[in-house]
Amino acid sequence: MNCEEPIVAYLGPKSSWTSQAAEKCFPDVVEAVQSGKVDRGVIPFENSSNGTVITTLDTLSTSHLECSDLTIAGETTLKISHCLLVRSIEHGQITPPDSPAGAGTPADHTDQGSRSLDGSAFAELKRIKHVYSHPQALGQCREFLAANLPWAELHQTSSTAEAAIIASKDHTNSSAAVGSVLAARQIGLRVLLEGVQDVRENSTRFLVLKRDPADAPPWHSSRTHPEGEQRKLLVSFAIDQRAQGKLAHALSTFNKPSIQLTNIHSRPSRKSPFHYVYFVEIQWRAEKDGGQQLQDALRDLGKISQSRRCHGTWGPTLEW
Amino acid sequence: MNCEEPIVAYLGPKSSWTSQAAEKCFPDVVEAVQSGKVDRGVIPFENSSNGTVITTLDTLSTSHLECSDLTIAGETTLKISHCLLVRSIEHGQITPPDSPAGAGTPADHTDQGSRSLDGSAFAELKRIKHVYSHPQALGQCREFLAANLPWAELHQTSSTAEAAIIASKDHTNSSAAVGSVLAARQIGLRVLLEGVQDVRENSTRFLVLKRDPADAPPWHSSRTHPEGEQRKLLVSFAIDQRAQGKLAHALSTFNKPSIQLTNIHSRPSRKSPFHYVYFVEIQWRAEKDGGQQLQDALRDLGKISQSRRCHGTWGPTLEW
């Protein structure tokens, strides 16, 4: 399997790239990797504007995966560009972009925004009375929408894919969705405008998951970690919350020169209400000792915590 | 103002109780408190199954609030019960619950689940082909839906209120929403079944916000904190993430006998990509020293962090 092109499960078919959008899909990706149906799975982990994808943490911590040999093999960061999507000509009811759009139902408000748009796009904008998208995508395009579609009603959906489906079903042609080029292709919508997000730099880190049945722990020196290479590690743990100072104590185990805490989240343990599993993302360097400091930290954490799980360690190079 | 009944802004009008549901509403509640339009605001903070409401953290940390005199005055926990909502008789198209439902469009699958339901409810369930709700609500009712509506297609919405609106607009009467009694009343839907969540114990902590222009810091001994009373505090801070060990160092300031870290979250700082603001919820006790340990911890945190903000401290009694 190592010599062949790996089979990769990813979120493309759902035609949605925002985090919560793929909520239903994540367990499927994880399950596909775990069962061996695919060699690698890709799930979103963190967006530069919206933060960590909580669903990914929850999926990684589901109980049936606790004994899993699933591990994070790497990460990759994608730039995200939002598009304004409308019903495509395949539906037979939208005027092609280069034709006059006068036959539509122009909105009453024509005096605001959109001066920079060309005539045909502007004419098409005029007929949009409803814009659908995930709240995060709507939020990322707030200024564009206020300037160019001030008359449109904004509707929140659970995902950009869901928004695209709703827009594709509006036979009055007065709906648009904010979503991806991929969503446009898969749902059969047309990209009216590209890059409509307010902040140009909008990116999402994706994690690559693989099965790793090897016994050696991820920080072990027998694994090839170039000395001094900055690596990341995701670990989760639960503690006895009634015991005084346990969390501070647990976190202090990472207070070492070669280790840097970056990202911390508390998630419900699902064992009792308001009891948590803590997720910690770490940056660390394999020194000459082969990661002894990390090994010590994880050993100490294991003593302090009720349960502890390493979700993997990965370097800057994607290890397919 | 202290002697009168306070004016309270809350999320009721949006007829939605799940976290992200009120995404658009939180800034309004916070703004209403800050501007003095209302005396108190109530926003959801944490659900026992779904964890911390990230939108609340983001709203509390928005930059224009950094110099705010807004503070958390208390918390209150509500039990959450989900209902299956259908178009009400006011719409004139749904059979009343005590009438035969034979005139509807019964689904093909009648051989699964719902044995424990009475006949009329079962007949009504049969015509439901689509169920709408926020993914978290759908998730909390997964077993109920699988047992009683195995034929229905599940659709994610951004909120239970949005789901109720969609169901209310389906003139084929084949849609239902999972939502609250409040949503049913406000949107004009009928409660077909109550308490359809799989885990009976489902509760959300809400924070009560108020303006507090007093200069005294919240841990100050001049404030009346009964000695030994277990109180909570929410603090957020940013650090220089390039500096080695800063986060571990910052968190170690809370490593004191009278202080207990419980809940930690990293959120994007919005100043540069993948740079964070850390939110820490603390339990602490005002000892004879009037909270000196907490005062020391916050002073040290102030020295280590680039910015730091206390969002308030509150006790078990709601301080209206």
Side-chain angles (χ1 to χ4, degrees), chain A residues 23-24 46 49-51 135 156 158 162 241 243-245 257 259-260 262-268 274 276 278, chain B residues 23-24 46 49-51 135 156 158 162 241 243-245 257 259-260 262-268 274 276 278:
Chain A
E23 206 153 64
K24 281 174 75 179
E46 185 181 20
S49 308
N50 300 323
Q156 299 184 5
S158 67
E162 176 90 11
Q241 286 179 206
Q244 186 61 44
I259 299 175
Q260 175 94 319
T262 53
N263 208 335
I264 306 185
H265 289 277
S266 318
R267 293 298 303 153
F274 305 117
Y276 306 105
Y278 300 93
Chain B
E23 206 154 66
K24 281 174 73 181
E46 186 181 17
S49 307
N50 301 322
Q156 300 184 5
S158 66
E162 176 90 11
Q241 285 179 207
Q244 186 62 43
I259 299 174
Q260 175 95 319
T262 53
N263 208 334
I264 306 186
H265 289 278
S266 317
R267 294 298 303 152
F274 304 117
Y276 306 107
Y278 300 94

Side-chain angles (χ1 to χ4, degrees), chain A residues 28-297:
Chain A
D28 295 346
V29 172
V30 172
E31 169 59 29
V33 179
Q34 196 164 324
S35 67
K37 274 183 225 158
V38 299
D39 299 328
R40 301 290 184 274
V42 180
I43 54 176
F45 185 56
E46 185 181 20
N47 177 266
S48 58
S49 308
N50 300 323
T52 299
V53 182
I54 295 303
T55 314
T56 291
L57 300 183
D58 289 350
T59 303
L60 288 174
S61 73
T62 48
S63 57
H64 72 279
L65 297 175
E66 269 171 21
C67 303
S68 152
D69 47 15
L70 206 73
T71 191
I72 300 166
E75 68 171 55
T76 182
T77 301
L78 287 187
K79 291 199 173 182
I80 303 293
S81 175
H82 292 300
C83 303
L84 193 68
L85 311 177
V86 293
R87 269 167 69 89
S88 82
I89 42 177
E90 283 97 300
H91 288 287
Q93 279 136 322
I94 271 254
T95 317
D98 50 349
S99 311
T105 54
D108 296 326
H109 314 69
T110 57
D111 54 346
Q112 291 178 67
S114 68
R115 296 285 180 245
S116 62
L117 300 170
D118 67 47
S120 69
F122 181 52
E124 289 208 68
L125 281 180
K126 275 163 53 182
R127 68 168 76 184
I128 297 170
K129 291 182 178 155
H130 303 275
V131 178
Y132 296 85
S133 199
H134 188 276
Q136 295 186 341
L138 289 177
Q140 287 169 23
C141 304
R142 193 180 295 123
E143 289 170 26
F144 167 84
L145 294 169
N148 297 290
L149 286 162
W151 56 80
E153 202 177 325
L154 307 184
H155 303 270
Q156 299 184 5
T157 57
S158 67
S159 69
T160 53
E162 176 90 11
I165 290 166
I166 293 172
S168 74
K169 286 182 180 169
D170 176 7
H171 295 276
T172 69
N173 291 326
S174 62
S175 295
V178 173
S180 64
V181 172
L182 185 64
R185 270 193 220 131
Q186 291 187 330
I187 312 295
L189 289 172
R190 185 158 51 83
V191 176
L192 182 58
L193 290 167
E194 248 184 292
V196 296
Q197 73 274 10
D198 301 325
V199 178
R200 203 153 283 279
E201 187 168 7
N202 186 20
S203 54
T204 297
R205 290 166 66 202
F206 290 79
L207 295 181
V208 178
L209 301 177
K210 67 171 180 179
R211 280 180 78 192
D212 189 4
D215 286 335
W219 61 85
H220 199 274
S221 58
S222 71
R223 301 201 171 203
T224 321
H225 298 154
E227 192 186 316
E229 182 187 76
Q230 190 77 54
R231 295 180 67 81
K232 295 177 183 177
L233 179 135
L234 185 69
V235 63
S236 62
F237 60 92
I239 50 164
D240 179 359
Q241 286 179 206
R242 294 160 305 178
Q244 186 61 44
K246 272 280 181 189
L247 179 56
H249 187 191
L251 292 170
S252 70
T253 59
F254 297 113
N255 212 343
K256 297 186 195 301
S258 73
I259 299 175
Q260 175 94 319
L261 297 188
T262 53
N263 208 335
I264 306 185
H265 289 277
S266 318
R267 293 298 303 153
S269 70
R270 302 177 195 186
K271 286 174 183 163
S272 57
F274 305 117
H275 183 264
Y276 306 105
V277 170
Y278 300 93
F279 280 85
V280 176
E281 193 182 0
I282 292 160
Q283 289 184 0
W284 67 286
R285 288 188 313 279
E287 308 283 10
K288 279 186 185 145
D289 62 3
Q292 189 62 45
Q293 288 183 13
L294 182 66
Q295 190 169 355
D296 292 348

